[in-house]
PDB file of all heavy atoms in Angstrom:
ATOM      1  N   PHE A  89      33.597  86.019 -48.955  1.00  0.00           N
ATOM      2  CA  PHE A  89      34.589  85.348 -48.115  1.00  0.00           C
ATOM      3  C   PHE A  89      33.973  84.784 -46.826  1.00  0.00           C
ATOM      4  O   PHE A  89      34.647  84.633 -45.825  1.00  0.00           O
ATOM      5  CB  PHE A  89      35.760  86.288 -47.780  1.00  0.00           C
ATOM      6  CG  PHE A  89      36.131  87.225 -48.885  1.00  0.00           C
ATOM      7  CD1 PHE A  89      36.107  88.600 -48.699  1.00  0.00           C
ATOM      8  CD2 PHE A  89      36.470  86.757 -50.141  1.00  0.00           C
ATOM      9  CE1 PHE A  89      36.439  89.477 -49.721  1.00  0.00           C
ATOM     10  CE2 PHE A  89      36.798  87.624 -51.178  1.00  0.00           C
ATOM     11  CZ  PHE A  89      36.781  88.982 -50.956  1.00  0.00           C
ATOM     12  N   ALA A  90      32.681  84.462 -46.847  1.00  0.00           N
ATOM     13  CA  ALA A  90      31.962  84.018 -45.650  1.00  0.00           C
ATOM     14  C   ALA A  90      32.475  82.692 -45.102  1.00  0.00           C
ATOM     15  O   ALA A  90      32.336  82.428 -43.915  1.00  0.00           O
ATOM     16  CB  ALA A  90      30.466  83.909 -45.939  1.00  0.00           C
ATOM     17  N   ALA A  91      33.054  81.870 -45.954  1.00  0.00           N
ATOM     18  CA  ALA A  91      33.537  80.558 -45.499  1.00  0.00           C
ATOM     19  C   ALA A  91      34.822  80.667 -44.696  1.00  0.00           C
ATOM     20  O   ALA A  91      35.257  79.692 -44.092  1.00  0.00           O
ATOM     21  CB  ALA A  91      33.751  79.632 -46.695  1.00  0.00           C
ATOM     22  N   LEU A  92      35.422  81.866 -44.680  1.00  0.00           N
ATOM     23  CA  LEU A  92      36.697  82.056 -43.986  1.00  0.00           C
ATOM     24  C   LEU A  92      36.520  82.977 -42.783  1.00  0.00           C
ATOM     25  O   LEU A  92      35.578  83.757 -42.711  1.00  0.00           O
ATOM     26  CB  LEU A  92      37.721  82.647 -44.952  1.00  0.00           C
ATOM     27  CG  LEU A  92      37.947  81.807 -46.211  1.00  0.00           C
ATOM     28  CD1 LEU A  92      38.759  82.595 -47.218  1.00  0.00           C
ATOM     29  CD2 LEU A  92      38.645  80.512 -45.856  1.00  0.00           C
ATOM     30  N   SER A  93      37.452  82.907 -41.873  1.00  0.00           N
ATOM     31  CA  SER A  93      37.411  83.720 -40.660  1.00  0.00           C
ATOM     32  C   SER A  93      37.820  85.159 -40.954  1.00  0.00           C
ATOM     33  O   SER A  93      38.894  85.402 -41.496  1.00  0.00           O
ATOM     34  CB  SER A  93      38.348  83.113 -39.617  1.00  0.00           C
ATOM     35  OG  SER A  93      38.467  83.948 -38.508  1.00  0.00           O
ATOM     36  N   HIS A  94      36.969  86.099 -40.586  1.00  0.00           N
ATOM     37  CA  HIS A  94      37.268  87.516 -40.789  1.00  0.00           C
ATOM     38  C   HIS A  94      38.104  88.052 -39.629  1.00  0.00           C
ATOM     39  O   HIS A  94      37.981  87.590 -38.509  1.00  0.00           O
ATOM     40  CB  HIS A  94      35.975  88.328 -40.885  1.00  0.00           C
ATOM     41  CG  HIS A  94      35.233  88.073 -42.147  1.00  0.00           C
ATOM     42  ND1 HIS A  94      35.387  88.839 -43.261  1.00  0.00           N
ATOM     43  CD2 HIS A  94      34.348  87.105 -42.477  1.00  0.00           C
ATOM     44  CE1 HIS A  94      34.626  88.368 -44.226  1.00  0.00           C
ATOM     45  NE2 HIS A  94      33.981  87.311 -43.769  1.00  0.00           N
ATOM     46  N   GLY A  95      38.934  89.046 -39.930  1.00  0.00           N
ATOM     47  CA  GLY A  95      39.618  89.753 -38.864  1.00  0.00           C
ATOM     48  C   GLY A  95      41.117  89.613 -38.821  1.00  0.00           C
ATOM     49  O   GLY A  95      41.789  90.602 -38.637  1.00  0.00           O
ATOM     50  N   GLU A  96      41.662  88.423 -38.949  1.00  0.00           N
ATOM     51  CA  GLU A  96      43.107  88.305 -38.887  1.00  0.00           C
ATOM     52  C   GLU A  96      43.732  88.541 -40.253  1.00  0.00           C
ATOM     53  O   GLU A  96      44.580  89.397 -40.410  1.00  0.00           O
ATOM     54  CB  GLU A  96      43.516  86.933 -38.337  1.00  0.00           C
ATOM     55  CG  GLU A  96      43.307  86.819 -36.852  1.00  0.00           C
ATOM     56  CD  GLU A  96      43.890  85.549 -36.308  1.00  0.00           C
ATOM     57  OE1 GLU A  96      44.964  85.120 -36.777  1.00  0.00           O
ATOM     58  OE2 GLU A  96      43.278  84.980 -35.392  1.00  0.00           O
ATOM     59  N   ILE A  97      43.325  87.757 -41.233  1.00  0.00           N
ATOM     60  CA  ILE A  97      43.871  87.900 -42.585  1.00  0.00           C
ATOM     61  C   ILE A  97      42.906  88.668 -43.469  1.00  0.00           C
ATOM     62  O   ILE A  97      43.303  89.509 -44.258  1.00  0.00           O
ATOM     63  CB  ILE A  97      44.171  86.510 -43.191  1.00  0.00           C
ATOM     64  CG1 ILE A  97      45.256  85.821 -42.373  1.00  0.00           C
ATOM     65  CG2 ILE A  97      44.593  86.629 -44.632  1.00  0.00           C
ATOM     66  CD1 ILE A  97      45.563  84.406 -42.798  1.00  0.00           C
ATOM     67  N   LEU A  98      41.626  88.389 -43.312  1.00  0.00           N
ATOM     68  CA  LEU A  98      40.596  89.029 -44.135  1.00  0.00           C
ATOM     69  C   LEU A  98      40.089  90.297 -43.470  1.00  0.00           C
ATOM     70  O   LEU A  98      40.265  90.493 -42.264  1.00  0.00           O
ATOM     71  CB  LEU A  98      39.435  88.058 -44.344  1.00  0.00           C
ATOM     72  CG  LEU A  98      39.771  86.766 -45.076  1.00  0.00           C
ATOM     73  CD1 LEU A  98      38.532  85.899 -45.187  1.00  0.00           C
ATOM     74  CD2 LEU A  98      40.350  87.032 -46.444  1.00  0.00           C
ATOM     75  N   PRO A  99      39.445  91.165 -44.246  1.00  0.00           N
ATOM     76  CA  PRO A  99      38.864  92.375 -43.646  1.00  0.00           C
ATOM     77  C   PRO A  99      37.934  92.010 -42.493  1.00  0.00           C
ATOM     78  O   PRO A  99      37.231  90.992 -42.552  1.00  0.00           O
ATOM     79  CB  PRO A  99      38.086  93.002 -44.806  1.00  0.00           C
ATOM     80  CG  PRO A  99      38.738  92.478 -46.043  1.00  0.00           C
ATOM     81  CD  PRO A  99      39.214  91.095 -45.685  1.00  0.00           C
ATOM     82  N   PRO A 100      37.898  92.831 -41.445  1.00  0.00           N
ATOM     83  CA  PRO A 100      37.104  92.508 -40.258  1.00  0.00           C
ATOM     84  C   PRO A 100      35.599  92.677 -40.444  1.00  0.00           C
ATOM     85  O   PRO A 100      34.826  92.185 -39.638  1.00  0.00           O
ATOM     86  CB  PRO A 100      37.628  93.486 -39.205  1.00  0.00           C
ATOM     87  CG  PRO A 100      38.138  94.639 -39.996  1.00  0.00           C
ATOM     88  CD  PRO A 100      38.676  94.054 -41.267  1.00  0.00           C
ATOM     89  N   MET A 101      35.180  93.363 -41.515  1.00  0.00           N
ATOM     90  CA  MET A 101      33.753  93.568 -41.718  1.00  0.00           C
ATOM     91  C   MET A 101      33.240  92.722 -42.870  1.00  0.00           C
ATOM     92  O   MET A 101      34.006  92.271 -43.704  1.00  0.00           O
ATOM     93  CB  MET A 101      33.439  95.044 -41.975  1.00  0.00           C
ATOM     94  CG  MET A 101      33.812  95.544 -43.365  1.00  0.00           C
ATOM     95  SD  MET A 101      35.567  95.847 -43.646  1.00  0.00           S
ATOM     96  CE  MET A 101      35.877  97.198 -42.557  1.00  0.00           C
TER      97      MET A 101
END
Side-chain angles (χ1 to χ4, degrees):
F89 324 122
L92 303 169
S93 173
H94 289 267
E96 285 188 37
I97 296 175
L98 298 179
M101 75 284 294

